[in-house]
Amino acid sequence: MRILILGGTRFLGRALARLAVAQGHDVTCAARGVSGDAPSGARFVSIDRDDPAAPASLAGDGFDAVVDVTRQVSHARHALAALADHVGHWSFVSTISVYADNTTPGQTAADAPVLPPAPPDVDAPVDPDNRWYGECKVSIERLVRERMGEDRSFICRAGLIVGAEDPSDRFPYWVRRLARGGEVLAPGRPTDRVQFVDVADLAGWLLHAAGARLVGTYDGVGPAMSREELLTGVAAGLGVADPHLTWVDQDFLLACDVREWSGERALPLWARLPEWAGLMDRDARPALDAGLTVRPLSDTVRATATWMTARPDDVRQGGLDPADEAVVLREWQAVRDR
Ligand SMILES: NC(=O)c1ccc[n+]([C@@H]2O[C@H](COP(=O)([O-])OP(=O)(O)OC[C@H]3O[C@@H](n4cnc5c(N)ncnc54)[C@H](OP(=O)(O)O)[C@@H]3O)[C@@H](O)[C@H]2O)c1
């Protein structure tokens, strides 16, 4: 298969390009080369998609399939205008941030309401809080379906993506924390649900989708598990048996200004309940039935840990720092023992 990846210089796009090369496909990555390099074996074409004419340089290359990871509406519009008539299949990597309801567990792409599209004057998410991210992805999904037709487009709404080369501080926080040992602050309840997808599994599914001409809209998520399974599974993947987990009530954490999800003072992969009960508890069955395969958590942990050891400067630091964690644990124990 001749495959064009619009992106391919970091995390998911790079993992996809690497896997496609390994499977013997003819791979082109088109990006600026600002975020990183395309993997070896892939052809790299330097384009800046801020230039509306840039994708036209790829129109004569006869690609069987395109995978686009963009968050920018105009980037998608220009790529589709230049390439839609010349390719057989278009995969768009969207996000579960398109959903309007983050509270209800067990939803699927088939039944869940989405946000409205981005307003006409919004082209891209606005940092630092990523405002309009979901709405921009909704707009791009619509463009892909309109331009390619339902019979040639695959929309993959990825959940939290984890694994080697993760540019976020989320999953790597737990790998680092459980590797350090000692008493670990575990947020919420052991039974709370968490959900993610391994970057290599997602890459494999995108390649499968392109090859099999899979069409439609799916969530790209692995099966949800309990937070206790996650934390003990991360520890087990690192060779640590019986981690010392202390579960701390979510209201106590919030009162201590411990933050949710990611960033400074955050406990990653934790979001308050019941408001966010649907975020990491979507129904993975449609994706599994459509060819997503899920590797054991221990493989994901080992791949992440190996990368973190090999490329420490690439690993984003974040989350609750050890001194702050110790303070919160001490205060929690004082409250609990009262
Ligand atoms: N990480 C998660 O947990 C998560 C969760 C849900 C969904 N997602 C989605 O999953 C996808 C992840 O994609 P990814 O990991 O491959 O990385 P990404 O961060 O989306 O990378 C963007 C890609 O686009 C390229 N790019 C950016 N600006 C460009 C421009 N002006 N011209 C040409 N190329 C440009 C970048 O390369 P250069 O900078 O080199 O040009 C890079 O390869 C995204 O769509 C994201 O929204 C992620």
Side-chain angles (χ1 to χ4, degrees):
M1 181 165 59
R2 280 176 69 77
I3 183 163
L4 170 64
I5 300 169
L6 293 169
T9 55
R10 63 187 249 161
F11 197 31
L12 174 63
R14 243 172 84 81
L16 174 65
R18 199 183 297 116
L19 185 64
V21 168
Q23 289 185 3
H25 299 295
D26 180 329
V27 183
T28 299
C29 299
R32 296 164 304 178
V34 168
S35 303
D37 301 322
S40 67
R43 178 172 74 116
F44 177 70
V45 176
S46 175
I47 62 166
D48 185 345
R49 299 176 70 181
D50 288 344
D51 172 4
S57 63
L58 299 158
D61 288 1
F63 295 109
D64 300 302
V66 169
V67 179
D68 191 4
V69 299
T70 192
R71 305 151 201 243
Q72 194 156 340
V73 181
S74 61
H75 287 187
R77 184 180 300 111
H78 298 136
L80 285 157
L83 302 173
D85 291 339
H86 305 280
V87 299
H89 187 264
W90 197 285
S91 297
F92 172 54
V93 181
S94 186
T95 167
I96 58 166
S97 297
V98 298
Y99 291 116
D101 173 1
N102 291 298
T103 304
T104 310
Q107 296 180 76
T108 68
D111 59 21
V114 298
L115 296 169
D121 59 334
V122 172
D123 187 42
V126 180
D127 287 323
D129 63 353
N130 233 358
R131 181 75 186 100
W132 305 114
Y133 172 54
E135 291 86 345
C136 287
K137 288 286 196 180
V138 169
S139 298
I140 299 169
E141 289 186 3
R142 288 188 178 191
L143 287 172
V144 172
R145 288 192 203 97
E146 277 164 24
R147 196 62 187 79
M148 289 298 291
E150 302 277 354
D151 57 337
R152 292 190 302 152
S153 46
F154 173 57
I155 309 290
C156 175
R157 293 174 178 159
L160 180 76
I161 307 171
V162 305
E165 302 189 5
D166 185 346
S168 82
D169 59 5
R170 295 175 296 216
F171 196 76
Y173 171 85
W174 289 112
V175 172
R176 188 166 49 239
R177 181 63 197 89
L178 286 152
R180 187 157 59 85
E183 184 180 11
V184 176
L185 196 172
R189 292 170 310 208
T191 51
D192 292 345
R193 309 297 280 168
V194 293
Q195 188 170 42
F196 48 84
V197 63
D198 182 286
V199 66
D201 291 336
L202 190 58
W205 193 38
L206 287 163
L207 268 185
H208 165 76
R213 297 286 186 264
L214 178 65
V215 298
T217 301
Y218 292 84
D219 292 332
V221 293
M225 63 181 73
S226 72
R227 183 169 286 113
E228 183 169 43
E229 284 174 280
L230 169 71
L231 298 185
T232 55
V234 170
L238 296 165
V240 177
D242 287 332
H244 179 181
L245 304 176
T246 294
W247 295 93
V248 180
D249 179 74
Q250 74 165 13
D251 293 335
F252 184 83
L253 293 174
L254 293 168
C256 292
D257 191 30
V258 176
R259 304 191 187 143
E260 299 155 86
W261 198 242
S262 74
E264 211 187 323
R265 269 193 82 77
L267 286 171
L269 277 76
W270 167 59
R272 77 187 68 191
L273 302 176
E275 292 88 332
W276 293 97
L279 178 70
M280 289 191 288
D281 199 2
R282 303 192 62 80
D283 184 353
R285 182 46 56 194
L288 299 171
D289 288 346
L292 174 69
T293 59
V294 177
R295 70 197 55 215
L297 175 56
S298 54
D299 289 3
T300 303
V301 172
R302 278 193 285 271
T304 309
T306 301
W307 162 70
M308 291 171 73
T309 304
R311 305 293 300 252
D313 294 346
D314 293 352
V315 182
R316 183 140 143 206
Q317 302 299 313
L320 201 57
D321 80 37
D324 291 336
E325 184 196 39
V327 170
V328 176
L329 281 170
R330 250 196 333 270
E331 289 175 359
W332 170 248
Q333 274 140 17
V335 168
R336 207 183 40 186
D337 297 345
R338 221 181 263 153

